[in-house]
Amino acid sequence: MNKEYDVIIVGSGITGGWAAKEFCERGFNTLVLERGRNVEHRGPEYKDFQAPWELQNRGMPDEELADNGHYATLRKKGHLYKTDALHFFVDDKKHPYSFPKDKPFMWTRGYQLGGRSLTWGRQALRWSPMDFQANAKDGHGIPWPISYDDLAPWYSYVEKFIGVSANKDGLETLPDGEFQTPWEMSYAEQYISNNIAKRYTDRHLIIGRAANLTSPSQEQTALGRSKCQARSYCRRGCTFGAYFSSQSATLPAAQKTGNLTVVTDAIVERVDYDESSKKASGVTVVDTNTKERRQYKSRVVFMCASSLGTVQVLLNSKSETFPNGIANASGMLGRYILGHVTGVVASADVPGGEDKFAFGRRPIATYIPNYRHEKRADADFVRGFGFQTTAQHRSSTRPTAKEKGIGIIAKQNVGQPGPWRFRAFMYGEVLPYYDNVATLHPSKEDEWGMPLLHIDAEIKENERKMIKQAARDIEEMLEAGGCTNIEVAATPQSKHIPMGKQVHEMGGACMGSDPNTSVLNGWGQAHDVPNLFVTDGACMASCATQNPSLTYMAITARAADYASKLLQRNII
């Protein structure tokens, strides 16, 4: 505790792991603080080799827990996360937060070493030049102080290290990267993709871009990682290290240098500010188990605690200079809470594939990238949306070991061909709204004395119009794709469409060129505190439609490189 570090990194997830790797490899003594427990890579908490009967509730959703408000992930009705990975998610009853009754917000968290890098969807998508230009072009939100060209070399740097299996699609709206062997589409997906290509020049159904190794590099195998086995147990923790996580890749790389210290069960309560130097001096933490407070000192602080987690810490970091939270002279801290909106789910039968089935359990779905960057005559909204898609065999004839059932009938069904059903889920861009804000609750605290985060955010009319258009578009595309029995469910007029449901919360400490209207500059460096950086989702000025994790990693690697050069020159 008495040692002063070069760098303190708050959080050990996707961005925290990257910051640790970059600073350690450059020779800096680096401390990573994680509020959750220690989780060992390939340790007992990994469930990827357990049989269904060894798992809680056989790994299926627990409706009682969901109905009693324990886990936000379970309130998805089991669509993404089930009880086989429940221990990697936060129980909302034990770690509460608040929101207005008429503006529900689903905040999915993972409090353990590695954070949500253990459970992310591994869809690694670059943003396009248009995504970084959107705020300046249509006037919503704070213009980005960086462009695609600024980030492109760092996208490549990150992709080579983490391993992204994907196809070179040649799309302006979704730039290609440094890819390994792509996964293959199923018969049904390729059938629809081919038909869509005959009808449209701007709409494309492509294989997803997965952070799962298919052709491991020498660097990746040296870290103990190996080829993906197509078991689709990723969320349970991957013993093979085939999918990218902090545990499988960045933290081991940092540990190899001898410059890394990791402390778990340490809740960062505040970033400490030195009034005389006008810099961050370190952090104050609360021990998760003993509830004792202690301080750590450093030359630089990197906030990587997740978008809303970082905002909560910064707001609670009050001082004489910053009575409303550190680096908040602009008053923008907590503003522009972002995320993706859903509201459209479509499904359809795919003819002609009754005698075909797919081998293995591919770890990634298919994707229809945003094709509405430019406002069209048929649209009364700005920005756009994409679709996460997949095709599976229908009902009990679906050839997968995930099929519900016990005994001889279940065994006989596994591996049998049958009809295909295609599904599509909308991912729409929520505009940056000033009044989508996170604040500290004025009276409620958690059991460690930290004020609860109060999230007041909602989608607005632009997103509701977007949902209507997305419903029309996907029905039209499925018809063009040759599908039958098309069903589209859309909820544009639903009074309470929760934000956060897509687990892609962003914003709250956004980048910008003007210190009066933003918290950070283009390097993720606080305008007001030169040795304080934020590189997780809180720094985002808009949310585009793509999964954001790859962009977080590229921003973090770039910022760590910049901060390292400042440290070497004793500027910060």
Side-chain angles (χ1 to χ4, degrees):
M1 288 185 293
N2 295 323
K3 178 180 178 181
E4 181 170 334
Y5 294 87
D6 293 317
V7 183
I8 288 176
I9 299 166
V10 181
S12 63
I14 275 184
T15 56
W18 262 100
K21 170 187 175 296
E22 296 304 299
F23 282 114
C24 286
E25 289 180 344
R26 287 165 172 78
F28 295 105
N29 291 321
T30 303
L31 172 65
V32 171
L33 295 170
E34 169 55 52
R35 67 172 293 156
R37 68 194 181 281
N38 180 54
V39 170
E40 296 180 10
H41 184 45
R42 302 186 178 93
E45 293 201 42
Y46 280 30
K47 307 293 185 183
D48 57 326
F49 274 97
Q50 292 195 3
W53 53 87
E54 297 176 296
L55 298 168
Q56 175 188 348
N57 202 38
R58 291 201 176 93
M60 303 307 290
D62 188 320
E63 294 182 8
E64 183 176 348
L65 282 175
D67 291 342
N68 288 326
H70 281 276
Y71 292 90
T73 54
L74 287 177
R75 295 201 292 277
K76 290 171 173 287
K77 303 301 181 186
H79 168 55
L80 287 179
Y81 303 108
K82 303 175 183 178
T83 52
D84 58 357
L86 203 59
H87 54 295
F88 289 145
F89 293 92
V90 165
D91 186 337
D92 299 322
K93 288 281 190 179
K94 295 180 180 178
H95 300 274
Y97 60 99
S98 69
F99 49 80
K101 289 184 178 180
D102 60 342
K103 299 178 185 178
F105 193 100
M106 296 178 68
W107 185 13
T108 303
R109 294 160 288 170
Y111 290 164
Q112 65 271 324
L113 188 65
R116 288 189 296 179
S117 78
L118 295 178
T119 55
W120 69 304
R122 305 165 313 286
Q123 183 84 280
L125 305 173
R126 291 191 181 199
W127 281 26
S128 73
M130 294 87 82
D131 294 314
F132 288 99
Q133 297 162 0
N135 284 12
K137 189 170 183 177
D138 62 33
H140 293 278
I142 305 303
W144 278 91
I146 60 174
S147 68
Y148 173 79
D149 289 341
D150 292 320
L151 217 54
W154 295 100
Y155 274 135
S156 294
Y157 177 73
V158 166
E159 288 162 343
K160 289 176 182 177
F161 180 80
I162 70 175
V164 178
S165 52
N167 186 54
K168 297 265 188 181
D169 299 299
L171 305 178
E172 183 184 7
T173 58
L174 192 70
D176 292 329
E178 310 294 332
F179 297 152
Q180 296 186 2
T181 306
W183 295 91
E184 295 182 3
M185 286 189 184
S186 66
Y187 156 80
E189 292 159 343
Q190 193 63 64
Y191 175 87
I192 296 173
S193 178
N194 292 341
N195 285 332
I196 286 177
K198 295 174 184 176
R199 173 78 174 270
Y200 305 100
T201 59
D202 61 341
R203 306 183 193 187
H204 308 272
L205 174 62
I206 63 173
I207 190 66
R209 299 177 176 180
N212 291 71
L213 301 181
T214 52
S215 306
S217 68
Q218 186 176 358
E219 181 183 31
Q220 289 155 354
T221 55
L223 288 170
R225 303 182 65 194
S226 58
K227 183 178 179 179
C228 178
Q229 303 298 301
R231 301 178 305 153
S232 195
Y233 289 149
C234 305
R235 64 174 174 263
R236 299 184 186 180
C238 181
T239 299
F240 295 94
Y243 81 74
F244 169 79
S245 68
S246 294
Q247 263 86 339
S248 70
T250 47
L251 290 181
Q255 287 165 346
K256 278 188 173 184
T257 68
N259 295 320
L260 178 66
T261 301
V262 175
V263 177
T264 56
D265 298 298
I267 300 172
V268 174
E269 179 183 58
R270 55 183 289 124
V271 176
D272 299 320
Y273 181 73
D274 187 300
E275 296 286 351
S276 59
S277 68
K278 301 188 183 305
K279 294 181 181 179
S281 59
V283 299
T284 298
V285 306
V286 181
D287 189 285
T288 304
N289 302 309
T290 68
K291 299 183 181 178
E292 294 178 344
R293 284 172 170 76
R294 60 182 184 267
Q295 291 181 316
Y296 294 97
K297 301 293 184 180
S298 67
R299 296 169 63 192
V300 168
V301 175
F302 254 62
M303 292 300 303
C304 300
S306 83
S307 305
L308 295 172
T310 285
V311 169
Q312 184 179 23
V313 172
L314 296 181
L315 286 171
N316 198 48
S317 304
K318 299 178 181 181
S319 63
E320 181 180 342
T321 299
F322 299 109
N324 299 313
I326 193 169
N328 193 25
S330 65
M332 291 294 169
L333 185 59
R335 297 286 177 184
Y336 298 109
I337 298 300
L338 298 159
H340 291 142
V341 63
T342 186
V344 177
V345 178
S347 61
D349 288 341
V350 184
E354 288 77 7
D355 61 340
K356 297 177 176 63
F357 59 90
F359 176 78
R361 295 180 229 163
R362 192 185 65 203
I364 195 70
T366 47
Y367 186 55
I368 300 175
N370 180 18
Y371 47 90
R372 285 185 173 272
H373 285 90
E374 300 296 333
K375 187 174 180 181
R376 304 183 181 190
D378 66 343
D380 54 356
F381 58 90
V382 295
R383 310 288 171 101
F385 47 83
F387 293 93
Q388 308 273 358
T389 61
T390 189
Q392 295 178 325
H393 283 78
R394 286 191 306 167
S395 189
S396 61
T397 60
R398 186 174 61 188
T400 169
K402 292 182 179 179
E403 179 61 34
K404 296 178 184 178
I406 298 174
I408 188 70
I409 297 176
K411 292 180 180 179
Q412 288 173 343
N413 284 337
V414 172
Q416 295 299 313
W420 291 82
R421 188 77 175 168
F422 184 81
R423 302 187 74 194
F425 305 87
M426 170 204 179
Y427 275 61
E429 178 173 1
V430 174
L431 290 177
Y433 295 113
Y434 175 85
D435 54 353
N436 275 358
V437 60
T439 57
L440 297 180
H441 198 283
S443 59
K444 295 182 180 179
E445 298 180 343
D446 63 21
E447 64 173 285
W448 297 276
M450 187 84 163
L452 298 189
L453 193 67
H454 182 75
I455 308 166
D456 187 347
E458 63 179 342
I459 71 165
K460 300 183 185 294
E461 190 61 26
N462 189 75
E463 290 74 43
R464 295 184 184 278
K465 292 176 179 178
M466 188 185 293
I467 290 171
K468 291 180 181 179
Q469 188 65 52
R472 292 192 290 266
D473 281 7
I474 193 61
E475 183 172 12
E476 178 186 294
M477 279 188 281
L478 292 177
E479 289 176 352
C483 298
T484 59
N485 298 324
I486 299 170
E487 297 179 358
V488 180
T491 56
Q493 300 307 319
S494 176
K495 186 176 181 181
H496 303 311
I497 298 177
M499 283 187 64
K501 190 175 182 181
Q502 305 311 111
V503 202
H504 294 160
E505 69 275 0
M506 296 171 241
C510 75
M511 289 184 180
S513 298
D514 185 351
N516 295 312
T517 59
S518 59
V519 179
L520 312 169
N521 65 18
W523 301 100
Q525 181 183 32
H527 290 300
D528 305 329
V529 184
N531 66 335
L532 174 63
F533 289 76
V534 177
T535 65
D536 57 21
C539 75
M540 306 294 275
S542 63
C543 69
T545 59
Q546 298 92 312
N547 300 46
S549 296
L550 183 69
T551 300
Y552 297 168
M553 290 186 269
I555 286 173
T556 300
R558 178 176 179 267
D561 178 71
Y562 174 75
S564 294
K565 292 172 181 175
L566 297 182
L567 280 168
Q568 289 165 352
R569 295 159 55 193
N570 290 315
I571 294 178
I572 56 174

